Amino acid sequence: MSKYSHILFDHDGVLVDTEPLYFRATRSCIEELGIELSQYEHLVLMAEGRNTWELARQVGVREVEVERARRRRNSLYREFLTSEPIDIEGAEEVLAELSHCYRIAIVTTALPEDFDLIHQNRNIVSKVDFVVTRDAYENSKPHPDPYLVAMDKFGIGPEVALAVEDSERGLRSATAAGIDCAVVHNEFTASQDLSEASYRIQRLSDLLPQVLNQP
């Protein structure tokens, strides 16, 4: 039997394939400010918990222009969310199976409005106990705050919780909260340092047999 009773799922990159779209939207809008943004640089900034718009501020772009570009990015990203395929195969099925034996939460850096847009026509949220979105904590991943909030809502300690992540930023957040972390492969974040993961799995469906010791 698994030693875990609670599973805390990251959202973007684990349950829905949205991270490349967020990068595309960010790159498109920051380029309008004269900043070239590579995927590698984007991932480094995210892992460190830094704001991409720092790059524009560092070269003297006015704050009003930065804010305008950020709003354009948010709008473009939401267009992508409604026009591009973002489903991850097996996500709903894995959650449905796990929900019979485990308490489950989604712990995400997504804004509530983006999260709601993503799940308008999906059946993922109904399979979890609650969702922790960006408005529920002060410091985003890689800080431990999101996971600390989730554990507090459940009334548990880290010894019974397992985080499921796909990125270095999320892994850092989980480990900082004292939680074991299973990292599921995501091609977009595959180049990051994920060596601190408690488990590495190729796909979400591997969670049951390879980590939770369930057939």
Side-chain angles (χ1 to χ4, degrees):
M1 292 294 294
S2 169
K3 67 176 182 178
Y4 307 110
S5 57
H6 295 68
I7 305 179
L8 311 178
F9 281 91
D10 176 45
H11 179 245
D12 299 282
V14 172
L15 299 177
V16 286
D17 190 21
T18 53
E19 289 177 327
L21 302 182
Y22 189 82
F23 167 63
R24 279 172 51 193
T26 301
R27 180 178 60 184
S28 174
C29 293
I30 203 168
E31 282 182 351
E32 296 175 5
L33 302 178
I35 307 296
E36 293 186 11
L37 180 67
S38 68
Q39 180 176 325
Y40 172 79
E41 189 170 22
H42 172 76
L43 290 173
V44 168
L45 290 168
M46 297 288 277
E48 295 175 352
R50 295 169 57 197
N51 191 314
T52 305
W53 305 105
E54 290 177 17
L55 301 177
R57 296 185 181 100
Q58 287 170 3
V59 298
V61 177
R62 293 184 305 155
E63 189 63 33
V64 64
E65 295 176 7
V66 170
E67 181 59 24
R68 189 179 299 120
R70 189 189 66 80
R71 289 197 301 268
R72 285 198 300 273
R73 187 277 311 277
N74 291 348
S75 178
L76 181 59
Y77 176 53
R78 287 163 191 156
E79 288 181 24
F80 288 160
L81 291 178
T82 58
S83 63
E84 301 278 350
I86 60 173
D87 291 311
I88 290 181
E89 183 179 1
E92 289 188 17
E93 291 79 6
V94 168
L95 288 174
E97 188 166 356
L98 290 173
S99 66
H100 297 300
C101 303
Y102 298 91
R103 303 290 300 276
I104 301 173
I106 296 174
V107 183
T108 177
T109 58
L111 296 173
E113 53 266 41
D114 293 342
F115 188 90
D116 291 343
L117 180 62
I118 288 168
H119 293 283
Q120 279 182 343
N121 300 304
R122 290 181 173 81
N123 195 27
I124 287 177
V125 176
S126 64
K127 297 174 174 60
V128 307
D129 290 88
F130 60 80
V131 177
V132 176
T133 50
R134 182 61 186 89
D135 59 327
Y137 47 83
E138 182 176 355
N139 298 302
S140 187
K141 300 175 185 179
H143 295 280
D145 297 24
Y147 283 109
L148 294 177
V149 167
M151 287 191 292
D152 185 62
K153 287 176 69 70
F154 271 134
I156 60 169
E159 67 280 355
V160 298
L162 174 71
V164 183
E165 284 280 355
D166 72 303
S167 70
E168 185 177 354
R169 176 175 71 163
L171 173 59
R172 289 186 184 186
S173 177
T175 55
I179 304 173
D180 288 352
C181 186
V183 171
V184 61
H185 176 77
N186 184 323
E187 194 62 35
F188 184 74
T189 54
S191 64
Q192 293 191 305
D193 181 5
L194 305 171
S195 59
E196 294 300 312
S198 304
Y199 313 94
R200 299 285 295 273
I201 55 178
Q202 188 64 27
R203 59 188 63 84
L204 204 55
S205 58
D206 293 335
L207 191 63
L208 285 81
Q210 295 185 20
V211 178
L212 301 174
N213 302 315
Q214 292 183 206

